[in-house]
Amino acid sequence: MSLLELKGVETFYGASQALFGVTLDVSEGEVVALMGRNGMGKTTTINSILGLAKPRSGTISFGGRQVAGMRPHRIARLGLGLVPEGRRCFPNLTVFENLVAAARGSEWTYDKVVELFPRLGERRDQYANTLSGGEQQMLAIGRALMTNPSLLILDEATEGLAPVIRQHIWAAIRKLKAEGQSILVVDKTLSELLPVADRCFVLEKGVAVFSGAPEALTPELQDRYLGV
Ligand code: ATP
């Protein structure tokens, strides 16, 4: 069953159109990759799902409800957990406080987050603004998980991080997938993203030009749509 379904979504910034009839879906338990070069509409798609950009036409259903036009906080409460580009945590709260402040529901707890990211346990009482970039990213993912999201959205979660930290984050994504967590992920590291994705969508100038299994995204298509 589709957890998230976008049909014919058209989103504008003022007079300029950013999305041209984007159709995309994520099923229960799937990891779906949203790809495309810079400025092709990935963040606008995510913002449309979250209610931060209002589609002018098209439909967006999440968990069986129409969400296009709903207020962002109401959409989030239906079970969307966003890890935004550029990781946002409360700088003057500790790791523990950041996680507990985000809690909603009972499945994810501080202990479960620390099991996923042991590094956060070692930094339990450290203020978020003193963490390394990678640790802040782990904390941002932990905060999103603490809301017990039915869909986790990762927007460039590994961008700009040290290789060893990126490995920790990809390992966490694989573990979450194995546990059945539905995830929509935007990332430029194809070598990590393609093996973990069940399906891929590629955007070019606001149009979904490819959708299918990662194996169907041949090197030739990768070069055409994602090459620099
Ligand atoms: P990146 O990988 O660089 O984040 P992206 O694929 O997420 O790129 P978007 O940020 O969705 O792309 O941008 C899609 C288009 O919409 C671009 O042409 C961009 O310039 C435009 N755009 C994005 N945000 C705004 C805004 N706030 N106002 C006007 N135009 C915008």
Side-chain angles (χ1 to χ4, degrees), residues 117 119 132 134-135 138 158 160-172 174 192:
F117 294 121
R119 184 78 77 96
S132 73
E135 290 160 354
M138 293 175 190
T158 67
L161 301 179
V164 59
I165 300 284
R166 297 164 82 112
Q167 288 315 312
H168 286 310
I169 291 180
W170 284 111
R174 288 190 291 268
E192 295 283 1

Side-chain angles (χ1 to χ4, degrees), residues 13 16-19 36-45 85 155-156 188 203:
Y13 293 105
S16 116
Q17 186 165 3
L19 299 184
R37 292 193 192 90
N38 287 338
M40 293 303 175
K42 303 180 298 294
T43 300
T44 305
T45 301
E85 211 175 345
D155 192 0
E156 311 265 16
K188 296 206 173 68
L203 293 178

